[in-house]
Structures are given as structure tokens and as C-alpha cells.
Amino acid sequence: MINVLFSGTSERWPDYAPHLRAAFEAEGLDVDLREKFPPEEVDYLIVSPNGPIQDFSAFTRARAVMNLWAGVEEIVDNETLTQPLVRMVEDGLTRGMVEWVTGQVLRHHLDMDRDICRSEAKWDYHVPPLARERKVSILGLGALGRACGETLAALEFDVAGWSRTPKDIPGLHCLSGDTGMEEALRRAEILVLLLPETPQTRHVLNVLTLDLLPRGAVVINPGRGPLIDDDAMLNALDAAQVGHATLDVFVEEPLPEDHPYWSHPRVTVTPHVASATRPGTSAQAIAANIRRNEAGEPMEGLVDRKRGY
Amino acid sequence: MINVLFSGTSERWPDYAPHLRAAFEAEGLDVDLREKFPPEEVDYLIVSPNGPIQDFSAFTRARAVMNLWAGVEEIVDNETLTQPLVRMVEDGLTRGMVEWVTGQVLRHHLDMDRDICRSEAKWDYHVPPLARERKVSILGLGALGRACGETLAALEFDVAGWSRTPKDIPGLHCLSGDTGMEEALRRAEILVLLLPETPQTRHVLNVLTLDLLPRGAVVINPGRGPLIDDDAMLNALDAAQVGHATLDVFVEEPLPEDHPYWSHPRVTVTPHVASATRPGTSAQAIAANIRRNEAGEPMEGLVDRKRGY
């Protein structure tokens, strides 16, 4: 019997419990899944970063902590967490992100807002260029960035991807390092942020880097709020240096009611939905990782504490 | 020397002439391209359906009439036109359509308008289903319908395609005939119209067929205006039987200023841009067809007069 503690936010328990039970059974695991356990009896923890557990030291026999989200920045520096930490790597999360990013890139590529928001009876003929003539840059080539880049390249967009260390992905113009970053920014008619949140990526878009973008560039951020220096972004939007920003993530969420992003005419706010953890597919990912770990196989999404993701 | 008459609308001549001359040269053709010729000296005509030539009988030695558009319904029944008629089949037109249709399907799938048009500071959390859980039906599996279906299927949408005669396309649930049409409509959360305009397809969406759609279905029409019975559509929109209609083509274009589509809250009007003929790629397609015909090879897009397309 494997004891699994679910410690996501409690309102998600009814969504997750049946999916998790079905997934454990499908993997052939004999699991006791509960919302409460004496800490010393827990074999695996399923947690969300905004959940109740902040001190992991009492979970003395826990073999892993499974994060419900792809992002681990709120938990990775917790010094009481000495157990292996696994972030969510699941197909549904990747697919959701690919759909959201592809949709938003096409929206801006086709200038859809012009038709969606038109208030007068005006035959306003405007033919967009073809995707092959549209330069998109993606910062971050992890599982999500890579999947988005490959999908956009399949649609014939002219896609460059930047990563910290050099990568080679068919169909993408792969860039890395400081000079690669400058090239990625200078060419970006549409810029997509899919970097993890680390001390190095904080404010990757700032006064200097926003100025490298072609005038009127579109910024799409489904990554992490702190990737953007919000004051610098607001100035760039006011000056039309950034033509539009579609932002899904923010330093403070929900975005405060008085934040200037809400009313800025060049900003679209979406409520952190680009890639939602979905109970069905994420339960399968967690169950598969527990089965792997019990069989002595490596888990998918095991966090490297030094890198921070 | 091959004499080619350009008889599109005259304002397009400056756009097309340099692309056509370059394309003829690239195909190794010795062409005299002009806007005016004595009719009996013309070898090939390049026409747009809304252009000046309505009587083709004087073009006694013309070896083909090349239509600048994919749609030929305004010209195919012209009894003076006895020369082979070729419709535009070119990569740019197909890619433009794929981009527009994919973008509009993703827009409705993700319910983007909710965020784009939000006027208040409201964190309105809404997670869409994954594409694999979204049923899209495409009516028409010609070059455009097929390309759109394949792209949407690659994005994991659950895609059915309907054609008059049975087809078999990997990744698509292919339907045909009357019972196939009923199935295509009954399952369509998002319906895309890409049928040619013929007497048989006129008003394919009417009082009866609109009623077969699931309540709240989205209709996307980048095909032809007369595919829809507009009165029936307006009633279905008023009753929320159709949740939204994104319409790119209309019986009368530009759509008259007093047409109720302009102000209907469930309608997005786009100004016939889903698939614009682009001078560069269409010039290449025309030149390649003339080269083929001169070499005794079949031309791409040769119209079957009996079918009407």
C-alpha cells in the first residue's frame, strides 16, 4: 500500500480525487489517497504551490513531492523540501499551451481584433502577409516552448527560438547566449515568452531589451509574470514601441483591479489560462511517475535544484 | 512569342505586371504581356470575374482563360466562354485560407473574444477544453477544405469533413451524401463552410440544416456568400441556436452598410480576406500553367463545366 497525500488547494480535491484513483488503478498501483495523513506515514505528496503545506520536514519517508503545476519557482527554494521535487509534465498542459499560443499568434498575425472589435459598418479591406513572411521569436525552448515552436513552424511561420544553452530543433532557427538573445529580439514581429522563472530570467523584458524589438512588435506572455518589467512595458506600450501585449501571467494574480494593464488599449489580459492543469491528464502523469519511481525508473519532470526548474 | 492579355480590374495591373513578367521569365516563356490586345491575337487571357470582359467570343485563338480567383461561379456559365477555363490553384491562396481558418477556429475554441472585448477589470477564469475534445466539421473537401482539415487535425481537433462524393483523407472523419451531411451538421460545435458555389450548394445552411446544429454552434464562412440563407441565419442567431457567425463572404460585396450582420452582436464580418489572391504566388501559378499547356501537359485547376468548378 502506497500512501499518497493530496495537498492541492482543497477546492480542487473533488475534481482530482476520482481522476487520481482511476489513474492509480490503471497503472496497477495499490494506493491509499487522502487529504489528511500523519506526515511520517506519507509516501508521496501531491501539492500545489499555493496549497497549505509550507514545511516539508515532517514528511520523513516521502519518496517524492509531485507539483500540480509546471512552474516550481514558489517551491524550489523551500529549504525544508529535501525530497525529490517533480514538476508537472503532461500532455494536456502542453497541448493547452500549444493551442493558446498558436491561437494568439494567429490572432495578431491576422490582425483579428480589427474585425472583432469593429463598431461601424465599414468594409475595411486588409490582407495580412502569409505566415512564411512573419517572424516569430520564442524565448525558452523547454517542453512548452519547443512544442509551440514546432507547431508554428508547421504553419510556416518564420520561427526563431532562444534557449540558455544551444539547442538544435528541426524547423526552428535556434539561438542561444547573449548575442542570440539580441538577434531573437531584433527580429521579433511577434515575441512569445516561455522561459522558466529564475533569478536570471527576471525582467528579461526591460527598458533595454524592449527597445531592441522592431517598432510595433507584439508581446505574448504565457510564461511567468516576473519575466516582464511592468513599468518598462507600460512605457513601451504608451510609446507604441510595443504594438500590443497579450498577457496571461502577472507578478500578482489575480491581476489587481487598479492595475493599468486592465484598461490599456494595447493590452489584452487573460486570466492565467494559457496552460491550465487539467485533472484527467495530470492524474495520469502523476500515477505514471509514481509507478516509474516504485520500479526504480527515472521520473519525468524531476527538478534540478541548482538550475531551479 | 505568346500574347497574354491581363484583364483583371485595372487597379491591380501595377501589382501584377512585374510579378507576372518575372514568373514568365522564370518559366522560360517568351511572353508579350499587355492590358490591351486585338482579341484575335490573344493566346491567353488572365481575368478576374469582376473585370471588364464579359464576351469571350472574339478571342478566337485563345488557348485558355486563367481566372485570378479560386471561385469561378461568376464566369463558368458564360456561354461566350468556349475556351478552357482554369481557376486559381496556388500555394499562397491555400496557405492564406489555412491560416485564416485555423486562426478563427482557435479564436472560437479558446473563446478569445471574451478577453479581447472585456471592458472591466475582471479576472474571469475560464479554461477551454482541449482541441481533441472539440468537434469541428468542414463542408467541402476540395484543395482548401482538405488543407484546412489536415491542419486542424494536426492541432488535434476532432475534425469531420463532408464532400459530395466519398473521400478518404488520413486524420479526418470523412462523410458524404445526405446522411453524411446530417451527421456533419449534428456534431459540429464549429462548422466551416468551404464548398464551391453551385446550384446544389446554394443555401446549404437554411432553416432546416441550421436546426440540426448543436445549440450554440459557431459558423465560419470563408467559402461563398450564397451558401447561407441569410434570413434563416439571422433568425438562428437571434434565437442563439447559432452562438456566433464569423462571415468573410456575402451575397453582395462589399456588405451593404444597412445589412443587419454589421451590428448583430453574434456576428463578426471580415471583408473577404480569408484567402486573398496574392500577386507573387498567383503569378507563379499562372506562368507554370501556361508552360504546361504549351508543352502539352495538363493545367492545374482546369474547370469541369458540368460540375461548375
Side-chain angles (χ1 to χ4, degrees):
Chain A
M1 177 70 76
I2 303 167
N3 293 337
V4 176
L5 174 66
F6 182 89
S7 180
T9 47
S10 60
E11 70 269 22
R12 304 306 304 273
W13 171 250
D15 290 344
Y16 275 89
H19 287 288
L20 284 165
R21 294 210 165 93
F24 291 138
E25 195 178 325
E27 293 285 349
L29 295 168
D30 185 17
V31 167
D32 187 5
L33 175 72
R34 299 193 215 165
E35 273 201 292
K36 290 245 162 69
F37 265 117
E40 66 279 9
E41 294 178 16
V42 172
D43 296 306
Y44 291 90
L45 291 86
I46 300 170
V47 305
S48 64
N50 57 354
I53 300 177
Q54 297 303 324
D55 184 347
F56 292 88
S57 50
F59 296 90
T60 48
R61 84 174 200 202
R63 298 200 275 285
V65 172
M66 333 290 285
N67 202 46
L68 278 170
W69 299 2
V72 293
E73 64 276 359
E74 294 177 45
I75 193 173
V76 72
D77 292 328
N78 186 324
E79 293 186 358
T80 69
L81 176 60
T82 54
Q83 300 88 346
L85 174 63
V86 182
R87 67 196 162 74
M88 181 58 65
V89 179
E90 57 101 5
D91 176 53
L93 193 146
T94 306
R95 294 313 306 169
M97 182 63 87
V98 166
E99 292 167 21
W100 191 90
V101 167
T102 305
Q104 296 293 348
V105 168
L106 281 166
R107 167 191 159 211
H108 290 294
H109 167 62
L110 298 168
D111 198 3
M112 279 189 199
D113 294 14
R114 190 160 158 172
D115 297 318
I116 293 169
C117 304
R118 188 186 300 110
S119 57
E120 45 179 353
K122 188 180 165 204
W123 191 259
D124 176 25
Y125 191 69
H126 59 103
V127 177
L130 291 173
R132 66 179 69 139
E133 298 156 335
R134 182 75 76 184
K135 288 182 162 54
V136 179
S137 291
I138 300 174
L139 303 189
L141 290 174
L144 297 176
R146 178 180 179 135
C148 291
E150 288 173 337
T151 298
L152 292 171
L155 279 165
E156 301 193 2
F157 282 101
D158 184 352
V159 185
W162 181 90
S163 52
R164 195 174 48 93
T165 52
K167 300 205 176 181
D168 183 13
I169 299 172
L172 303 195
H173 179 45
C174 289
L175 301 166
S176 60
D178 289 346
T179 46
M181 175 65 83
E182 183 171 334
E183 185 182 342
L185 294 169
R186 283 196 188 280
R187 73 189 291 285
E189 292 174 83
I190 300 176
L191 180 72
V192 181
L193 304 183
L194 279 168
L195 291 162
E197 184 186 335
T198 69
Q200 289 73 41
T201 63
R202 186 183 139 82
H203 289 192
V204 66
L205 280 197
N206 54 45
V207 174
L208 296 174
T209 52
L210 284 166
D211 209 42
L212 295 175
L213 295 171
R215 186 163 176 79
V218 168
V219 174
I220 299 176
N221 186 12
R224 289 294 170 207
L227 298 177
I228 297 177
D229 175 341
D230 290 329
D231 291 334
M233 175 60 86
L234 285 162
N235 285 334
L237 288 161
D238 287 340
Q241 164 62 10
V242 171
H244 200 95
T246 290
L247 308 173
D248 187 56
V249 287
F250 305 91
V251 173
E252 186 181 347
E253 294 183 7
L255 185 66
E257 277 186 24
D258 58 353
H259 197 287
Y261 281 152
W262 280 117
S263 58
H264 202 291
R266 296 184 193 279
V267 174
T268 303
V269 171
T270 67
H272 202 146
V273 294
S275 177
T277 301
R278 290 167 171 88
T281 45
S282 58
Q284 289 164 23
I286 288 168
N289 262 341
I290 292 179
R291 183 200 44 76
R292 287 188 194 100
N293 200 47
E294 294 294 304
E297 299 168 16
M299 291 184 283
E300 273 188 33
L302 187 65
V303 171
D304 178 337
R305 299 294 176 88
K306 281 190 195 135
R307 286 193 315 183
Y309 59 93
Chain B
M1 177 69 76
I2 303 168
N3 293 337
V4 177
L5 172 66
F6 182 88
S7 178
T9 48
S10 59
E11 69 268 24
R12 304 307 303 274
W13 170 249
D15 291 344
Y16 275 89
H19 287 287
L20 283 165
R21 294 209 165 93
F24 291 139
E25 192 178 327
E27 293 286 349
L29 295 169
D30 184 19
V31 167
D32 186 5
L33 175 72
R34 301 193 213 165
E35 273 201 292
K36 291 246 162 68
F37 265 118
E40 66 278 10
E41 293 178 17
V42 172
D43 296 306
Y44 291 90
L45 292 86
I46 299 171
V47 304
S48 64
N50 56 354
I53 300 178
Q54 296 303 322
D55 185 345
F56 292 88
S57 48
F59 297 90
T60 47
R61 84 175 198 202
R63 299 200 273 287
V65 172
M66 334 289 284
N67 202 45
L68 278 170
W69 299 0
V72 293
E73 66 276 359
E74 293 176 47
I75 192 172
V76 71
D77 292 328
N78 186 325
E79 293 186 358
T80 69
L81 176 59
T82 55
Q83 301 87 345
L85 174 64
V86 183
R87 67 197 160 74
M88 181 58 65
V89 179
E90 57 100 5
D91 176 52
L93 191 145
T94 305
R95 294 312 307 168
M97 181 63 87
V98 165
E99 292 167 22
W100 190 90
V101 167
T102 305
Q104 296 293 348
V105 167
L106 280 166
R107 168 193 161 209
H108 289 295
H109 167 63
L110 298 169
D111 198 3
M112 279 188 197
D113 294 13
R114 192 161 157 173
D115 298 317
I116 294 169
C117 305
R118 188 187 299 110
S119 56
E120 44 178 353
K122 188 179 163 205
W123 191 259
D124 177 24
Y125 191 69
H126 59 103
V127 178
L130 291 173
R132 65 179 70 140
E133 299 156 335
R134 182 76 75 185
K135 289 182 162 53
V136 179
S137 291
I138 299 174
L139 303 189
L141 290 174
L144 297 176
R146 178 180 179 135
C148 291
E150 287 173 337
T151 298
L152 292 171
L155 280 165
E156 301 195 0
F157 281 101
D158 183 354
V159 185
W162 182 91
S163 53
R164 195 174 50 92
T165 52
K167 299 207 177 180
D168 183 13
I169 299 171
L172 303 195
H173 179 47
C174 288
L175 301 166
S176 61
D178 290 345
T179 48
M181 174 64 84
E182 183 171 335
E183 186 183 340
L185 294 168
R186 283 195 189 281
R187 73 188 292 286
E189 292 175 80
I190 299 175
L191 181 71
V192 181
L193 304 183
L194 279 168
L195 291 163
E197 184 186 335
T198 69
Q200 289 73 42
T201 64
R202 186 184 141 83
H203 288 191
V204 65
L205 280 197
N206 54 45
V207 174
L208 296 174
T209 52
L210 284 166
D211 209 42
L212 294 176
L213 295 170
R215 187 165 177 77
V218 167
V219 174
I220 299 176
N221 186 14
R224 288 295 170 207
L227 298 176
I228 297 177
D229 176 340
D230 290 329
D231 291 334
M233 175 60 87
L234 285 162
N235 285 333
L237 288 161
D238 287 340
Q241 163 61 10
V242 171
H244 201 96
T246 290
L247 309 174
D248 186 56
V249 287
F250 305 91
V251 173
E252 186 181 347
E253 294 181 7
L255 185 66
E257 277 186 24
D258 60 352
H259 197 287
Y261 280 151
W262 281 117
S263 58
H264 203 290
R266 297 183 192 278
V267 174
T268 303
V269 172
T270 67
H272 203 145
V273 294
S275 177
T277 301
R278 291 168 170 85
T281 45
S282 59
Q284 289 163 23
I286 287 168
N289 261 341
I290 291 180
R291 183 199 44 76
R292 286 187 194 102
N293 199 47
E294 294 294 304
E297 298 168 19
M299 292 184 282
E300 273 188 33
L302 188 64
V303 171
D304 178 336
R305 301 294 176 88
K306 283 191 194 137
R307 286 194 313 185
Y309 60 92

